[in-house]
Amino acid sequence: MQKITIAIDGFSSTGKSTIAKQLAKSLGYIYVDTGAMYRAVTLFAMQNNFFGEAIEDKKGLVASLSQINLKFVYNDELGFAEMYLNGENIEKQIRTLEVSKLVSKVAVIEEVRIKLVEMQQEMGKEKGVVMDGRDIGTVVFPDAEFKVFMTASPEKRAYRRYKELLDRGDDVNYDEVLKNVQERDYIDSNREVSPLKQAKDAIEFDNSDMGLKEQFDRMYNYALRVIEKQ
Ligand code: DC
């Protein structure tokens, strides 16, 4: 069967990656979490003191971009690929609130986006990928055959993220998580370079009141119909 490109964009914590991973698994496609790539560059920026609570050295980070080597390595046990930065597994470190707080600032840097978009296009050039992010259907793969734009209310998304962090054992406060979600929505939607916006040919998918199974079933059936039409 002909392979297609599936682009899933949307606000933070809409559950894009959960559905994208399941879809990729069921279709035998590669899953690419592009948010993890922006998070990895942010972690690099923090580790090298280019970015922090009171520092913002964009020039320094841009000059060091060539030192960043990113790779996804498939973990058989977990059933998905983990993010590696210069040979180190950083999957856990990139999911902290510290990284979440700074990532939007790093994701607005044009040079960072150019580097990551190029890598993403290379990873998806053979099709058969499910890629999630903010600009996949608009910039990375404007010709993707199946585009989804996921939304849910900020409160629902913050609650999901809050529970995730709590389950990991992090010391978190719901209001702080909600504030972070709202701030990221604002920055992601209003930045100059590749702002988050729904592609004209994307279907909108509001999952505020939908369980995982229902979300998956709908998306999977939709994807199959698109594939059959190729
Ligand atoms: O999906 P996520 O929350 O892990 O993404 C982290 C940040 O990276 C998010 O605030 C926006 C940014 N991002 C982006 O600008 N473009 C993408 N394709 C993916 C993520």
Side-chain angles (χ1 to χ4, degrees):
M1 227 191 302
Q2 183 113 17
K3 294 201 164 187
I4 62 164
T5 302
I6 301 180
I8 303 185
D9 290 305
F11 292 102
S12 62
S13 304
T14 34
K16 297 185 295 292
S17 64
T18 309
I19 292 299
K21 265 182 219 160
Q22 286 182 358
L23 261 187
K25 207 171 188 175
S26 310
L27 294 168
Y29 281 18
I30 292 167
Y31 164 62
V32 180
D33 172 0
T34 63
M37 298 167 76
Y38 288 93
R39 287 170 180 272
V41 175
T42 305
L43 184 69
F44 174 90
M46 288 160 69
Q47 288 172 340
N48 292 280
N49 294 317
F50 296 128
F51 274 77
E53 246 174 60
I55 5 170
E56 213 172 307
D57 178 8
K58 186 187 140 183
K59 265 200 186 144
L61 173 62
V62 169
S64 304
L65 280 181
S66 61
Q67 292 169 30
I68 301 180
N69 180 20
L70 300 182
K71 220 184 244 167
F72 284 105
V73 180
Y74 193 78
N75 180 324
D76 260 336
E77 256 171 55
L78 296 175
F80 64 89
E82 294 179 294
M83 187 84 254
Y84 280 66
L85 166 64
N86 295 335
E88 192 196 344
N89 183 336
I90 52 156
E91 191 57 37
K92 284 217 173 72
Q93 294 173 68
I94 57 172
R95 309 290 168 191
T96 58
L97 196 54
E98 285 66 43
V99 171
S100 298
K101 277 184 183 164
L102 286 173
V103 64
S104 289
K105 290 188 180 166
V106 171
V108 294
I109 304 172
E110 191 168 12
E111 291 85 346
V112 170
R113 301 204 72 86
I114 291 172
K115 178 183 166 97
L116 298 188
V117 167
E118 241 175 56
M119 284 179 67
Q120 290 152 12
Q121 289 172 334
E122 180 65 27
M123 286 188 258
K125 71 174 190 232
E126 312 283 351
K127 298 199 182 233
V129 285
V130 181
M131 206 172 272
D132 78 20
R134 304 292 188 285
D135 58 344
I136 311 305
T138 49
V139 175
V140 184
F141 292 116
D143 297 330
E145 291 84 354
F146 180 27
K147 297 182 187 177
V148 182
F149 191 80
M150 303 237 323
T151 60
S153 70
E155 290 75 19
K156 278 262 159 76
R157 290 186 281 128
Y159 185 69
R160 289 177 190 156
R161 186 90 194 105
Y162 166 73
K163 274 206 61 193
E164 231 172 73
L165 291 166
L166 264 193
D167 290 348
R168 277 175 33 152
D170 285 11
D171 178 22
V172 278
N173 165 296
Y174 170 79
D175 290 334
E176 202 185 341
V177 177
L178 177 61
K179 195 166 151 248
N180 176 251
V181 163
Q182 289 167 329
E183 275 170 8
R184 281 204 288 156
D185 283 2
Y186 183 81
I187 301 177
D188 291 348
S189 316
N190 290 283
R191 67 178 174 224
E192 248 170 66
V193 198
S194 309
L196 169 66
K197 64 169 193 271
Q198 183 170 352
K200 280 198 196 83
D201 48 352
I203 58 159
E204 188 179 340
F205 198 86
D206 185 330
N207 65 12
S208 297
D209 300 305
M210 230 186 262
L212 276 183
K213 184 168 180 333
E214 185 181 352
Q215 289 180 55
F216 172 76
D217 288 346
R218 284 190 187 210
M219 285 242 198
Y220 184 67
N221 288 327
Y222 206 111
L224 284 185
R225 284 209 295 277
V226 177
I227 293 168
E228 276 160 11
K229 272 200 224 141
Q230 299 305 304

PDB file of all heavy atoms in Angstrom, residues 74-101:
ATOM      1  N   TYR A  74      15.360   4.135  18.736  1.00  0.00           N
ATOM      2  CA  TYR A  74      14.170   3.364  19.081  1.00  0.00           C
ATOM      3  C   TYR A  74      14.414   2.499  20.321  1.00  0.00           C
ATOM      4  O   TYR A  74      15.410   1.799  20.417  1.00  0.00           O
ATOM      5  CB  TYR A  74      13.754   2.473  17.905  1.00  0.00           C
ATOM      6  CG  TYR A  74      12.374   1.892  18.092  1.00  0.00           C
ATOM      7  CD1 TYR A  74      11.238   2.664  17.851  1.00  0.00           C
ATOM      8  CD2 TYR A  74      12.203   0.585  18.537  1.00  0.00           C
ATOM      9  CE1 TYR A  74       9.972   2.150  18.045  1.00  0.00           C
ATOM     10  CE2 TYR A  74      10.930   0.058  18.727  1.00  0.00           C
ATOM     11  CZ  TYR A  74       9.826   0.853  18.477  1.00  0.00           C
ATOM     12  OH  TYR A  74       8.561   0.344  18.685  1.00  0.00           O
ATOM     13  N   ASN A  75      13.515   2.579  21.286  1.00  0.00           N
ATOM     14  CA  ASN A  75      13.604   1.755  22.491  1.00  0.00           C
ATOM     15  C   ASN A  75      12.527   0.664  22.389  1.00  0.00           C
ATOM     16  O   ASN A  75      11.333   0.950  22.457  1.00  0.00           O
ATOM     17  CB  ASN A  75      13.370   2.654  23.720  1.00  0.00           C
ATOM     18  CG  ASN A  75      13.449   1.879  25.023  1.00  0.00           C
ATOM     19  OD1 ASN A  75      13.027   0.716  25.108  1.00  0.00           O
ATOM     20  ND2 ASN A  75      13.976   2.516  26.050  1.00  0.00           N
ATOM     21  N   ASP A  76      12.997  -0.565  22.214  1.00  0.00           N
ATOM     22  CA  ASP A  76      12.082  -1.694  22.013  1.00  0.00           C
ATOM     23  C   ASP A  76      11.101  -1.872  23.159  1.00  0.00           C
ATOM     24  O   ASP A  76       9.922  -2.142  22.947  1.00  0.00           O
ATOM     25  CB  ASP A  76      12.908  -2.988  21.893  1.00  0.00           C
ATOM     26  CG  ASP A  76      13.072  -3.374  20.435  1.00  0.00           C
ATOM     27  OD1 ASP A  76      12.213  -2.950  19.634  1.00  0.00           O
ATOM     28  OD2 ASP A  76      14.061  -4.070  20.104  1.00  0.00           O
ATOM     29  N   GLU A  77      11.628  -1.721  24.372  1.00  0.00           N
ATOM     30  CA  GLU A  77      10.782  -1.936  25.553  1.00  0.00           C
ATOM     31  C   GLU A  77       9.665  -0.907  25.642  1.00  0.00           C
ATOM     32  O   GLU A  77       8.519  -1.222  25.934  1.00  0.00           O
ATOM     33  CB  GLU A  77      11.640  -1.809  26.813  1.00  0.00           C
ATOM     34  CG  GLU A  77      11.961  -3.150  27.443  1.00  0.00           C
ATOM     35  CD  GLU A  77      12.974  -3.000  28.534  1.00  0.00           C
ATOM     36  OE1 GLU A  77      12.728  -2.193  29.455  1.00  0.00           O
ATOM     37  OE2 GLU A  77      14.023  -3.676  28.435  1.00  0.00           O
ATOM     38  N   LEU A  78      10.023   0.354  25.393  1.00  0.00           N
ATOM     39  CA  LEU A  78       9.026   1.427  25.493  1.00  0.00           C
ATOM     40  C   LEU A  78       8.134   1.493  24.259  1.00  0.00           C
ATOM     41  O   LEU A  78       7.021   1.995  24.316  1.00  0.00           O
ATOM     42  CB  LEU A  78       9.719   2.779  25.675  1.00  0.00           C
ATOM     43  CG  LEU A  78      10.522   2.968  26.966  1.00  0.00           C
ATOM     44  CD1 LEU A  78      11.252   4.300  26.938  1.00  0.00           C
ATOM     45  CD2 LEU A  78       9.575   2.922  28.174  1.00  0.00           C
ATOM     46  N   GLY A  79       8.663   1.023  23.140  1.00  0.00           N
ATOM     47  CA  GLY A  79       7.877   1.046  21.900  1.00  0.00           C
ATOM     48  C   GLY A  79       7.894   2.387  21.198  1.00  0.00           C
ATOM     49  O   GLY A  79       7.035   2.679  20.381  1.00  0.00           O
ATOM     50  N   PHE A  80       8.841   3.244  21.544  1.00  0.00           N
ATOM     51  CA  PHE A  80       8.998   4.487  20.781  1.00  0.00           C
ATOM     52  C   PHE A  80      10.464   4.943  20.834  1.00  0.00           C
ATOM     53  O   PHE A  80      11.254   4.382  21.591  1.00  0.00           O
ATOM     54  CB  PHE A  80       8.053   5.591  21.297  1.00  0.00           C
ATOM     55  CG  PHE A  80       8.308   6.049  22.707  1.00  0.00           C
ATOM     56  CD1 PHE A  80       9.197   7.073  22.978  1.00  0.00           C
ATOM     57  CD2 PHE A  80       7.631   5.465  23.775  1.00  0.00           C
ATOM     58  CE1 PHE A  80       9.416   7.500  24.282  1.00  0.00           C
ATOM     59  CE2 PHE A  80       7.842   5.884  25.083  1.00  0.00           C
ATOM     60  CZ  PHE A  80       8.750   6.907  25.329  1.00  0.00           C
ATOM     61  N   ALA A  81      10.770   5.938  19.997  1.00  0.00           N
ATOM     62  CA  ALA A  81      12.156   6.401  19.911  1.00  0.00           C
ATOM     63  C   ALA A  81      12.438   7.457  20.977  1.00  0.00           C
ATOM     64  O   ALA A  81      11.595   8.321  21.231  1.00  0.00           O
ATOM     65  CB  ALA A  81      12.416   6.965  18.525  1.00  0.00           C
ATOM     66  N   GLU A  82      13.626   7.374  21.576  1.00  0.00           N
ATOM     67  CA  GLU A  82      13.999   8.368  22.588  1.00  0.00           C
ATOM     68  C   GLU A  82      14.995   9.356  21.999  1.00  0.00           C
ATOM     69  O   GLU A  82      15.732   9.044  21.077  1.00  0.00           O
ATOM     70  CB  GLU A  82      14.622   7.652  23.788  1.00  0.00           C
ATOM     71  CG  GLU A  82      13.633   6.768  24.523  1.00  0.00           C
ATOM     72  CD  GLU A  82      14.294   6.056  25.685  1.00  0.00           C
ATOM     73  OE1 GLU A  82      15.177   5.213  25.443  1.00  0.00           O
ATOM     74  OE2 GLU A  82      13.931   6.361  26.828  1.00  0.00           O
ATOM     75  N   MET A  83      14.982  10.554  22.597  1.00  0.00           N
ATOM     76  CA  MET A  83      15.843  11.627  22.079  1.00  0.00           C
ATOM     77  C   MET A  83      17.236  11.549  22.672  1.00  0.00           C
ATOM     78  O   MET A  83      17.395  11.433  23.890  1.00  0.00           O
ATOM     79  CB  MET A  83      15.188  12.964  22.478  1.00  0.00           C
ATOM     80  CG  MET A  83      15.809  14.199  21.916  1.00  0.00           C
ATOM     81  SD  MET A  83      15.209  14.549  20.252  1.00  0.00           S
ATOM     82  CE  MET A  83      16.583  14.106  19.278  1.00  0.00           C
ATOM     83  N   TYR A  84      18.234  11.626  21.797  1.00  0.00           N
ATOM     84  CA  TYR A  84      19.633  11.639  22.228  1.00  0.00           C
ATOM     85  C   TYR A  84      20.271  12.952  21.792  1.00  0.00           C
ATOM     86  O   TYR A  84      20.073  13.396  20.660  1.00  0.00           O
ATOM     87  CB  TYR A  84      20.410  10.464  21.602  1.00  0.00           C
ATOM     88  CG  TYR A  84      20.187   9.155  22.324  1.00  0.00           C
ATOM     89  CD1 TYR A  84      18.933   8.541  22.324  1.00  0.00           C
ATOM     90  CD2 TYR A  84      21.233   8.535  23.011  1.00  0.00           C
ATOM     91  CE1 TYR A  84      18.729   7.358  23.005  1.00  0.00           C
ATOM     92  CE2 TYR A  84      21.040   7.341  23.696  1.00  0.00           C
ATOM     93  CZ  TYR A  84      19.783   6.753  23.690  1.00  0.00           C
ATOM     94  OH  TYR A  84      19.572   5.582  24.363  1.00  0.00           O
ATOM     95  N   LEU A  85      21.024  13.546  22.713  1.00  0.00           N
ATOM     96  CA  LEU A  85      21.773  14.769  22.406  1.00  0.00           C
ATOM     97  C   LEU A  85      23.253  14.448  22.561  1.00  0.00           C
ATOM     98  O   LEU A  85      23.686  14.054  23.656  1.00  0.00           O
ATOM     99  CB  LEU A  85      21.361  15.891  23.376  1.00  0.00           C
ATOM    100  CG  LEU A  85      22.249  17.135  23.432  1.00  0.00           C
ATOM    101  CD1 LEU A  85      22.263  17.892  22.112  1.00  0.00           C
ATOM    102  CD2 LEU A  85      21.786  18.070  24.564  1.00  0.00           C
ATOM    103  N   ASN A  86      23.999  14.575  21.485  1.00  0.00           N
ATOM    104  CA  ASN A  86      25.431  14.252  21.479  1.00  0.00           C
ATOM    105  C   ASN A  86      25.719  12.922  22.188  1.00  0.00           C
ATOM    106  O   ASN A  86      26.577  12.829  23.059  1.00  0.00           O
ATOM    107  CB  ASN A  86      26.249  15.398  22.085  1.00  0.00           C
ATOM    108  CG  ASN A  86      26.137  16.648  21.226  1.00  0.00           C
ATOM    109  OD1 ASN A  86      25.882  16.558  20.020  1.00  0.00           O
ATOM    110  ND2 ASN A  86      26.281  17.807  21.820  1.00  0.00           N
ATOM    111  N   GLY A  87      24.944  11.918  21.833  1.00  0.00           N
ATOM    112  CA  GLY A  87      25.190  10.559  22.324  1.00  0.00           C
ATOM    113  C   GLY A  87      24.557  10.227  23.666  1.00  0.00           C
ATOM    114  O   GLY A  87      24.607   9.082  24.114  1.00  0.00           O
ATOM    115  N   GLU A  88      23.939  11.221  24.315  1.00  0.00           N
ATOM    116  CA  GLU A  88      23.354  10.962  25.643  1.00  0.00           C
ATOM    117  C   GLU A  88      21.827  10.919  25.555  1.00  0.00           C
ATOM    118  O   GLU A  88      21.211  11.774  24.903  1.00  0.00           O
ATOM    119  CB  GLU A  88      23.781  12.087  26.593  1.00  0.00           C
ATOM    120  CG  GLU A  88      23.476  11.779  28.050  1.00  0.00           C
ATOM    121  CD  GLU A  88      23.532  13.038  28.922  1.00  0.00           C
ATOM    122  OE1 GLU A  88      24.095  14.056  28.470  1.00  0.00           O
ATOM    123  OE2 GLU A  88      22.986  12.996  30.030  1.00  0.00           O
ATOM    124  N   ASN A  89      21.246   9.927  26.231  1.00  0.00           N
ATOM    125  CA  ASN A  89      19.784   9.836  26.277  1.00  0.00           C
ATOM    126  C   ASN A  89      19.246  10.952  27.179  1.00  0.00           C
ATOM    127  O   ASN A  89      19.506  10.976  28.376  1.00  0.00           O
ATOM    128  CB  ASN A  89      19.384   8.463  26.835  1.00  0.00           C
ATOM    129  CG  ASN A  89      17.883   8.258  26.854  1.00  0.00           C
ATOM    130  OD1 ASN A  89      17.115   9.218  26.887  1.00  0.00           O
ATOM    131  ND2 ASN A  89      17.452   7.017  26.848  1.00  0.00           N
ATOM    132  N   ILE A  90      18.488  11.874  26.596  1.00  0.00           N
ATOM    133  CA  ILE A  90      18.018  13.031  27.370  1.00  0.00           C
ATOM    134  C   ILE A  90      16.489  13.043  27.475  1.00  0.00           C
ATOM    135  O   ILE A  90      15.878  14.060  27.782  1.00  0.00           O
ATOM    136  CB  ILE A  90      18.503  14.357  26.739  1.00  0.00           C
ATOM    137  CG1 ILE A  90      18.137  14.400  25.247  1.00  0.00           C
ATOM    138  CG2 ILE A  90      19.993  14.545  26.925  1.00  0.00           C
ATOM    139  CD1 ILE A  90      18.039  15.792  24.694  1.00  0.00           C
ATOM    140  N   GLU A  91      15.874  11.915  27.177  1.00  0.00           N
ATOM    141  CA  GLU A  91      14.412  11.817  27.141  1.00  0.00           C
ATOM    142  C   GLU A  91      13.758  12.374  28.423  1.00  0.00           C
ATOM    143  O   GLU A  91      12.775  13.119  28.352  1.00  0.00           O
ATOM    144  CB  GLU A  91      14.022  10.361  26.897  1.00  0.00           C
ATOM    145  CG  GLU A  91      12.569  10.132  26.571  1.00  0.00           C
ATOM    146  CD  GLU A  91      12.029  10.894  25.366  1.00  0.00           C
ATOM    147  OE1 GLU A  91      12.761  11.067  24.367  1.00  0.00           O
ATOM    148  OE2 GLU A  91      10.874  11.325  25.434  1.00  0.00           O
ATOM    149  N   LYS A  92      14.326  12.023  29.583  1.00  0.00           N
ATOM    150  CA  LYS A  92      13.716  12.496  30.838  1.00  0.00           C
ATOM    151  C   LYS A  92      13.977  13.980  31.069  1.00  0.00           C
ATOM    152  O   LYS A  92      13.081  14.719  31.459  1.00  0.00           O
ATOM    153  CB  LYS A  92      14.284  11.694  32.018  1.00  0.00           C
ATOM    154  CG  LYS A  92      13.707  10.309  32.110  1.00  0.00           C
ATOM    155  CD  LYS A  92      13.502   9.872  33.575  1.00  0.00           C
ATOM    156  CE  LYS A  92      12.767   8.559  33.624  1.00  0.00           C
ATOM    157  NZ  LYS A  92      13.640   7.433  33.177  1.00  0.00           N
ATOM    158  N   GLN A  93      15.213  14.376  30.818  1.00  0.00           N
ATOM    159  CA  GLN A  93      15.592  15.774  31.106  1.00  0.00           C
ATOM    160  C   GLN A  93      14.805  16.792  30.285  1.00  0.00           C
ATOM    161  O   GLN A  93      14.606  17.923  30.738  1.00  0.00           O
ATOM    162  CB  GLN A  93      17.080  15.969  30.811  1.00  0.00           C
ATOM    163  CG  GLN A  93      17.992  15.180  31.723  1.00  0.00           C
ATOM    164  CD  GLN A  93      19.435  15.298  31.253  1.00  0.00           C
ATOM    165  OE1 GLN A  93      20.035  16.357  31.323  1.00  0.00           O
ATOM    166  NE2 GLN A  93      19.977  14.214  30.740  1.00  0.00           N
ATOM    167  N   ILE A  94      14.390  16.408  29.072  1.00  0.00           N
ATOM    168  CA  ILE A  94      13.696  17.405  28.231  1.00  0.00           C
ATOM    169  C   ILE A  94      12.225  17.581  28.597  1.00  0.00           C
ATOM    170  O   ILE A  94      11.554  18.447  28.067  1.00  0.00           O
ATOM    171  CB  ILE A  94      13.822  17.095  26.716  1.00  0.00           C
ATOM    172  CG1 ILE A  94      13.292  15.697  26.385  1.00  0.00           C
ATOM    173  CG2 ILE A  94      15.252  17.274  26.248  1.00  0.00           C
ATOM    174  CD1 ILE A  94      13.222  15.418  24.881  1.00  0.00           C
ATOM    175  N   ARG A  95      11.723  16.738  29.505  1.00  0.00           N
ATOM    176  CA  ARG A  95      10.290  16.831  29.860  1.00  0.00           C
ATOM    177  C   ARG A  95      10.043  17.634  31.137  1.00  0.00           C
ATOM    178  O   ARG A  95       8.925  17.672  31.628  1.00  0.00           O
ATOM    179  CB  ARG A  95       9.677  15.436  30.030  1.00  0.00           C
ATOM    180  CG  ARG A  95       9.932  14.484  28.878  1.00  0.00           C
ATOM    181  CD  ARG A  95       9.189  14.849  27.631  1.00  0.00           C
ATOM    182  NE  ARG A  95       9.666  14.100  26.478  1.00  0.00           N
ATOM    183  CZ  ARG A  95       9.354  14.360  25.224  1.00  0.00           C
ATOM    184  NH1 ARG A  95       8.551  15.369  24.952  1.00  0.00           N
ATOM    185  NH2 ARG A  95       9.826  13.654  24.243  1.00  0.00           N
ATOM    186  N   THR A  96      11.080  18.235  31.709  1.00  0.00           N
ATOM    187  CA  THR A  96      10.902  18.966  32.964  1.00  0.00           C
ATOM    188  C   THR A  96      10.245  20.334  32.713  1.00  0.00           C
ATOM    189  O   THR A  96      10.284  20.851  31.587  1.00  0.00           O
ATOM    190  CB  THR A  96      12.263  19.215  33.655  1.00  0.00           C
ATOM    191  OG1 THR A  96      13.086  19.939  32.727  1.00  0.00           O
ATOM    192  CG2 THR A  96      12.937  17.911  34.032  1.00  0.00           C
ATOM    193  N   LEU A  97       9.686  20.915  33.780  1.00  0.00           N
ATOM    194  CA  LEU A  97       9.043  22.227  33.655  1.00  0.00           C
ATOM    195  C   LEU A  97      10.085  23.307  33.314  1.00  0.00           C
ATOM    196  O   LEU A  97       9.767  24.276  32.616  1.00  0.00           O
ATOM    197  CB  LEU A  97       8.293  22.563  34.949  1.00  0.00           C
ATOM    198  CG  LEU A  97       7.257  23.677  34.899  1.00  0.00           C
ATOM    199  CD1 LEU A  97       6.221  23.457  33.800  1.00  0.00           C
ATOM    200  CD2 LEU A  97       6.545  23.815  36.248  1.00  0.00           C
ATOM    201  N   GLU A  98      11.329  23.120  33.775  1.00  0.00           N
ATOM    202  CA  GLU A  98      12.398  24.096  33.483  1.00  0.00           C
ATOM    203  C   GLU A  98      12.597  24.215  31.958  1.00  0.00           C
ATOM    204  O   GLU A  98      12.691  25.298  31.425  1.00  0.00           O
ATOM    205  CB  GLU A  98      13.742  23.674  34.115  1.00  0.00           C
ATOM    206  CG  GLU A  98      13.843  23.867  35.606  1.00  0.00           C
ATOM    207  CD  GLU A  98      12.908  22.966  36.390  1.00  0.00           C
ATOM    208  OE1 GLU A  98      12.808  21.765  36.024  1.00  0.00           O
ATOM    209  OE2 GLU A  98      12.252  23.469  37.319  1.00  0.00           O
ATOM    210  N   VAL A  99      12.648  23.052  31.302  1.00  0.00           N
ATOM    211  CA  VAL A  99      12.815  23.069  29.845  1.00  0.00           C
ATOM    212  C   VAL A  99      11.552  23.643  29.193  1.00  0.00           C
ATOM    213  O   VAL A  99      11.622  24.489  28.299  1.00  0.00           O
ATOM    214  CB  VAL A  99      13.150  21.654  29.291  1.00  0.00           C
ATOM    215  CG1 VAL A  99      13.100  21.641  27.771  1.00  0.00           C
ATOM    216  CG2 VAL A  99      14.520  21.200  29.777  1.00  0.00           C
ATOM    217  N   SER A 100      10.368  23.224  29.689  1.00  0.00           N
ATOM    218  CA  SER A 100       9.112  23.728  29.118  1.00  0.00           C
ATOM    219  C   SER A 100       9.030  25.247  29.202  1.00  0.00           C
ATOM    220  O   SER A 100       8.467  25.900  28.331  1.00  0.00           O
ATOM    221  CB  SER A 100       7.911  23.127  29.844  1.00  0.00           C
ATOM    222  OG  SER A 100       7.897  21.739  29.695  1.00  0.00           O
ATOM    223  N   LYS A 101       9.593  25.805  30.282  1.00  0.00           N
ATOM    224  CA  LYS A 101       9.506  27.251  30.466  1.00  0.00           C
ATOM    225  C   LYS A 101      10.367  28.006  29.460  1.00  0.00           C
ATOM    226  O   LYS A 101      10.059  29.131  29.104  1.00  0.00           O
ATOM    227  CB  LYS A 101       9.980  27.614  31.875  1.00  0.00           C
ATOM    228  CG  LYS A 101       8.908  27.460  32.926  1.00  0.00           C
ATOM    229  CD  LYS A 101       9.450  27.923  34.244  1.00  0.00           C
ATOM    230  CE  LYS A 101       8.462  27.737  35.346  1.00  0.00           C
ATOM    231  NZ  LYS A 101       9.114  27.835  36.665  1.00  0.00           N
TER     232      LYS A 101
END
